[in-house]
Amino acid sequence: CQAKFGNSFFEAECVEIGETTIKVKYKYDGSEAEVPKEEVKGAPKEAPVVEPTISAGDIVQGKYGQEYHDAEVVEVTDSVIKVKWKYNGSDAELPKDDVTVKPPP
């Protein structure tokens, strides 16, 4: 799909479809946003189910506070993903919902 940002439309992945908005993930930088339905072109009627596989050694983005930061996956369990933060080398265990695959540059 394509989602509006500012005055232009950009390639995006439709992640979740709500009643009045669509959650999109912009392909150019991997950021996510809730966009009014009228500002999204080519959206499917229902959001596709996409579950990327994350495994040890993958470069991901993990949620710390309200922002996502680069990290490397150390271990994946049934409930958490253990990561090593790129910015300071410390480890953290994050819920799976707080870890996303980092889009390629």
Side-chain angles (χ1 to χ4, degrees), residues 3-5 15-26 31-37 39-40:
K4 191 171 186 179
F5 182 82
V15 177
E16 185 178 309
I17 299 175
E19 288 193 33
T20 59
T21 62
I22 297 176
K23 183 176 182 179
V24 298
K25 184 173 185 176
Y26 291 100
S31 65
E32 294 184 356
E34 294 274 338
V35 180
K37 282 187 172 182
E39 294 183 1
V40 178

Side-chain angles (χ1 to χ4, degrees), residues 12-100:
E13 175 185 344
C14 292
V15 177
E16 185 178 309
I17 299 175
E19 288 193 33
T20 59
T21 62
I22 297 176
K23 183 176 182 179
V24 298
K25 184 173 185 176
Y26 291 100
K27 293 187 178 183
Y28 68 91
D29 70 353
S31 65
E32 294 184 356
E34 294 274 338
V35 180
K37 282 187 172 182
E38 59 271 11
E39 294 183 1
V40 178
K41 297 178 182 178
K45 298 291 181 197
E46 295 180 13
V49 176
V50 178
E51 293 185 27
T53 303
I54 296 176
S55 55
D58 287 351
I59 302 301
V60 296
Q61 292 189 322
K63 189 173 184 181
Y64 181 81
Q66 296 300 317
E67 297 181 2
Y68 282 83
H69 301 277
D70 292 348
E72 181 178 344
V73 175
V74 176
E75 180 182 1
V76 178
T77 69
D78 288 339
S79 58
V80 297
I81 297 177
K82 185 175 181 180
V83 300
K84 181 180 288 269
W85 298 111
K86 290 289 188 182
Y87 69 92
N88 70 358
S90 67
D91 292 338
E93 288 187 357
L94 302 174
K96 289 186 174 187
D97 290 345
D98 287 352
V99 178
T100 62

